[in-house]
Amino acid sequence: MATTRQAHTVWEGNLLEGKGVVTLDSSGIGEYPVSWPSRAEQANGKTSPEELIAAAHSSCFSMALSNGLASAGNPPARLNTKAEVTFQPGTGITGIHLTVEGEVPGLDEAGFVKAAEDAKANCPVSQALTGTTITLTASLAA
């Protein structure tokens, strides 16, 4: 069954001096302030579209990797995924780097890297962002 999730933003003022609030409607878990300086300079307690993309990508990738590993007979004990979305004012989003460290009993490093590459290519958020270069660093926990 298909699902639709919703968020909305109320923006006041021009780009450089204005500000907005992003509300996560579907979950109801919060409202988050946004501004151009928080996007193009320092966050200063506000979020940005890129941070929200990073949150979406890291969670989607983790779900896809968990499912792929479990389907292959190696369910993970733990996955720690970070997504870094780079934004260049005047250009846009120039890349996304995923870093994942996993605890996967019974799986070697090569098998984990292969599963992570597959998750990177096939998670729905990665597929939605195909116009952006997505790189990956994957390793098993020491």
Side-chain angles (χ1 to χ4, degrees):
M1 177 165 89
T3 59
T4 300
R5 300 293 184 251
Q6 298 176 353
H8 78 274
T9 300
V10 175
W11 186 268
E12 298 173 345
N14 66 31
L15 174 63
L16 298 180
E17 297 163 359
K19 61 183 178 181
V21 175
V22 176
T23 302
L24 303 181
D25 298 322
S26 298
S27 63
I29 61 171
E31 296 181 340
Y32 303 94
V34 294
S35 69
W36 177 256
S38 69
R39 184 178 193 184
E41 299 166 16
Q42 295 297 315
N44 292 323
K46 297 181 174 99
T47 193
S48 68
E50 291 73 29
E51 184 177 34
L52 296 170
I53 290 170
H57 205 175
S58 67
S59 60
C60 182
F61 172 86
S62 294
M63 290 179 196
L65 180 53
S66 174
N67 184 55
L69 290 166
S71 295
N74 294 98
R78 185 169 195 265
L79 298 172
N80 184 357
T81 304
K82 176 172 63 172
E84 298 170 280
V85 178
T86 302
F87 174 73
Q88 178 64 48
T91 302
I93 294 173
T94 58
I96 300 171
H97 185 73
L98 299 169
T99 303
V100 61
E101 182 180 81
E103 295 174 22
V104 187
L107 190 64
D108 65 12
E109 188 88 15
F112 182 71
V113 170
K114 183 178 183 306
E117 288 288 349
D118 184 63
K120 177 185 80 123
N122 293 304
C123 96
V125 171
S126 289
Q127 291 179 346
L129 300 170
T130 55
T132 301
T133 300
I134 302 170
T135 56
L136 172 68
T137 301
S139 63
L140 290 172

